PDB file of all heavy atoms in Angstrom:
ATOM      1  N   PHE L  34     165.965  43.937 286.891  1.00 95.00           N
ATOM      2  CA  PHE L  34     165.402  42.648 287.286  1.00 95.00           C
ATOM      3  C   PHE L  34     164.436  42.815 288.450  1.00 95.00           C
ATOM      4  O   PHE L  34     163.333  42.256 288.433  1.00 95.00           O
ATOM      5  CB  PHE L  34     166.507  41.653 287.664  1.00 95.00           C
ATOM      6  CG  PHE L  34     165.936  40.350 288.166  1.00 95.00           C
ATOM      7  CD1 PHE L  34     165.416  39.430 287.278  1.00 95.00           C
ATOM      8  CD2 PHE L  34     165.885  40.074 289.518  1.00 95.00           C
ATOM      9  CE1 PHE L  34     164.846  38.244 287.724  1.00 95.00           C
ATOM     10  CE2 PHE L  34     165.325  38.892 289.980  1.00 95.00           C
ATOM     11  CZ  PHE L  34     164.807  37.973 289.082  1.00 95.00           C
ATOM     12  N   HIS L  35     164.827  43.564 289.462  1.00 96.00           N
ATOM     13  CA  HIS L  35     163.968  43.745 290.641  1.00 96.00           C
ATOM     14  C   HIS L  35     162.613  44.332 290.248  1.00 96.00           C
ATOM     15  O   HIS L  35     161.557  43.824 290.635  1.00 96.00           O
ATOM     16  CB  HIS L  35     164.659  44.641 291.664  1.00 96.00           C
ATOM     17  CG  HIS L  35     163.777  44.982 292.823  1.00 96.00           C
ATOM     18  ND1 HIS L  35     162.985  46.104 292.835  1.00 96.00           N
ATOM     19  CD2 HIS L  35     163.533  44.324 293.980  1.00 96.00           C
ATOM     20  CE1 HIS L  35     162.284  46.125 293.960  1.00 96.00           C
ATOM     21  NE2 HIS L  35     162.606  45.062 294.676  1.00 96.00           N
ATOM     22  N   ASP L  36     162.635  45.407 289.473  1.00 96.00           N
ATOM     23  CA  ASP L  36     161.385  46.082 289.115  1.00 96.00           C
ATOM     24  C   ASP L  36     160.493  45.223 288.230  1.00 96.00           C
ATOM     25  O   ASP L  36     159.289  45.111 288.466  1.00 96.00           O
ATOM     26  CB  ASP L  36     161.686  47.409 288.406  1.00 96.00           C
ATOM     27  CG  ASP L  36     162.335  48.441 289.325  1.00 96.00           C
ATOM     28  OD1 ASP L  36     162.432  48.210 290.553  1.00 96.00           O
ATOM     29  OD2 ASP L  36     162.756  49.491 288.803  1.00 96.00           O
ATOM     30  N   ILE L  37     161.071  44.618 287.209  1.00 96.00           N
ATOM     31  CA  ILE L  37     160.258  43.834 286.275  1.00 96.00           C
ATOM     32  C   ILE L  37     159.801  42.521 286.912  1.00 96.00           C
ATOM     33  O   ILE L  37     158.663  42.100 286.706  1.00 96.00           O
ATOM     34  CB  ILE L  37     160.999  43.596 284.941  1.00 96.00           C
ATOM     35  CG1 ILE L  37     161.346  44.945 284.285  1.00 96.00           C
ATOM     36  CG2 ILE L  37     160.183  42.716 284.010  1.00 96.00           C
ATOM     37  CD1 ILE L  37     160.166  45.871 284.035  1.00 96.00           C
ATOM     38  N   SER L  38     160.645  41.906 287.718  1.00 97.00           N
ATOM     39  CA  SER L  38     160.212  40.666 288.381  1.00 97.00           C
ATOM     40  C   SER L  38     159.090  40.953 289.377  1.00 97.00           C
ATOM     41  O   SER L  38     158.184  40.133 289.544  1.00 97.00           O
ATOM     42  CB  SER L  38     161.384  39.943 289.045  1.00 97.00           C
ATOM     43  OG  SER L  38     161.904  40.672 290.124  1.00 97.00           O
ATOM     44  N   SER L  39     159.109  42.123 290.010  1.00 96.00           N
ATOM     45  CA  SER L  39     158.006  42.504 290.910  1.00 96.00           C
ATOM     46  C   SER L  39     156.701  42.636 290.137  1.00 96.00           C
ATOM     47  O   SER L  39     155.642  42.183 290.595  1.00 96.00           O
ATOM     48  CB  SER L  39     158.323  43.814 291.626  1.00 96.00           C
ATOM     49  OG  SER L  39     159.402  43.660 292.501  1.00 96.00           O
ATOM     50  N   ALA L  40     156.783  43.253 288.961  1.00 95.00           N
ATOM     51  CA  ALA L  40     155.584  43.404 288.127  1.00 95.00           C
ATOM     52  C   ALA L  40     155.072  42.041 287.662  1.00 95.00           C
ATOM     53  O   ALA L  40     153.864  41.771 287.697  1.00 95.00           O
ATOM     54  CB  ALA L  40     155.889  44.295 286.925  1.00 95.00           C
ATOM     55  N   LEU L  41     155.983  41.167 287.238  1.00 97.00           N
ATOM     56  CA  LEU L  41     155.572  39.831 286.792  1.00 97.00           C
ATOM     57  C   LEU L  41     154.950  39.033 287.932  1.00 97.00           C
ATOM     58  O   LEU L  41     153.933  38.357 287.743  1.00 97.00           O
ATOM     59  CB  LEU L  41     156.763  39.064 286.208  1.00 97.00           C
ATOM     60  CG  LEU L  41     157.336  39.597 284.899  1.00 97.00           C
ATOM     61  CD1 LEU L  41     158.499  38.726 284.446  1.00 97.00           C
ATOM     62  CD2 LEU L  41     156.271  39.696 283.823  1.00 97.00           C
ATOM     63  N   THR L  42     155.546  39.119 289.109  1.00 96.00           N
ATOM     64  CA  THR L  42     155.009  38.392 290.265  1.00 96.00           C
ATOM     65  C   THR L  42     153.588  38.857 290.567  1.00 96.00           C
ATOM     66  O   THR L  42     152.693  38.038 290.818  1.00 96.00           O
ATOM     67  CB  THR L  42     155.925  38.572 291.486  1.00 96.00           C
ATOM     68  OG1 THR L  42     157.208  38.015 291.167  1.00 96.00           O
ATOM     69  CG2 THR L  42     155.361  37.887 292.715  1.00 96.00           C
ATOM     70  N   PHE L  43     153.360  40.166 290.518  1.00 94.00           N
ATOM     71  CA  PHE L  43     152.010  40.696 290.736  1.00 94.00           C
ATOM     72  C   PHE L  43     151.032  40.126 289.711  1.00 94.00           C
ATOM     73  O   PHE L  43     149.948  39.644 290.059  1.00 94.00           O
ATOM     74  CB  PHE L  43     152.018  42.226 290.656  1.00 94.00           C
ATOM     75  CG  PHE L  43     150.632  42.811 290.644  1.00 94.00           C
ATOM     76  CD1 PHE L  43     149.920  42.953 291.814  1.00 94.00           C
ATOM     77  CD2 PHE L  43     150.039  43.195 289.445  1.00 94.00           C
ATOM     78  CE1 PHE L  43     148.627  43.473 291.801  1.00 94.00           C
ATOM     79  CE2 PHE L  43     148.750  43.718 289.420  1.00 94.00           C
ATOM     80  CZ  PHE L  43     148.041  43.861 290.601  1.00 94.00           C
ATOM     81  N   LEU L  44     151.404  40.175 288.440  1.00 95.00           N
ATOM     82  CA  LEU L  44     150.532  39.651 287.387  1.00 95.00           C
ATOM     83  C   LEU L  44     150.274  38.163 287.566  1.00 95.00           C
ATOM     84  O   LEU L  44     149.131  37.693 287.455  1.00 95.00           O
ATOM     85  CB  LEU L  44     151.149  39.902 286.010  1.00 95.00           C
ATOM     86  CG  LEU L  44     151.139  41.331 285.506  1.00 95.00           C
ATOM     87  CD1 LEU L  44     151.960  41.451 284.229  1.00 95.00           C
ATOM     88  CD2 LEU L  44     149.715  41.818 285.273  1.00 95.00           C
ATOM     89  N   HIS L  45     151.318  37.406 287.843  1.00 96.00           N
ATOM     90  CA  HIS L  45     151.190  35.951 287.966  1.00 96.00           C
ATOM     91  C   HIS L  45     150.319  35.566 289.157  1.00 96.00           C
ATOM     92  O   HIS L  45     149.537  34.610 289.072  1.00 96.00           O
ATOM     93  CB  HIS L  45     152.569  35.301 288.056  1.00 96.00           C
ATOM     94  CG  HIS L  45     153.382  35.499 286.811  1.00 96.00           C
ATOM     95  ND1 HIS L  45     154.712  35.171 286.742  1.00 96.00           N
ATOM     96  CD2 HIS L  45     153.061  36.000 285.583  1.00 96.00           C
ATOM     97  CE1 HIS L  45     155.179  35.445 285.536  1.00 96.00           C
ATOM     98  NE2 HIS L  45     154.192  35.955 284.815  1.00 96.00           N
ATOM     99  N   GLU L  46     150.447  36.299 290.262  1.00 95.00           N
ATOM    100  CA  GLU L  46     149.599  36.004 291.424  1.00 95.00           C
ATOM    101  C   GLU L  46     148.125  36.233 291.116  1.00 95.00           C
ATOM    102  O   GLU L  46     147.254  35.619 291.716  1.00 95.00           O
ATOM    103  CB  GLU L  46     150.033  36.845 292.620  1.00 95.00           C
ATOM    104  CG  GLU L  46     151.343  36.357 293.221  1.00 95.00           C
ATOM    105  CD  GLU L  46     151.890  37.262 294.322  1.00 95.00           C
ATOM    106  OE1 GLU L  46     151.337  38.375 294.543  1.00 95.00           O
ATOM    107  OE2 GLU L  46     152.889  36.852 294.944  1.00 95.00           O
ATOM    108  N   ALA L  47     147.843  37.108 290.145  1.00 93.00           N
ATOM    109  CA  ALA L  47     146.468  37.358 289.709  1.00 93.00           C
ATOM    110  C   ALA L  47     146.072  36.465 288.528  1.00 93.00           C
ATOM    111  O   ALA L  47     145.008  36.645 287.936  1.00 93.00           O
ATOM    112  CB  ALA L  47     146.299  38.831 289.337  1.00 93.00           C
TER     113      ALA L  47
END
Side-chain angles (χ1 to χ4, degrees):
F34 176 77
H35 174 269
D36 293 352
I37 301 304
S38 67
S39 294
L41 292 180
T42 298
F43 170 80
L44 288 172
H45 296 170
E46 287 174 352

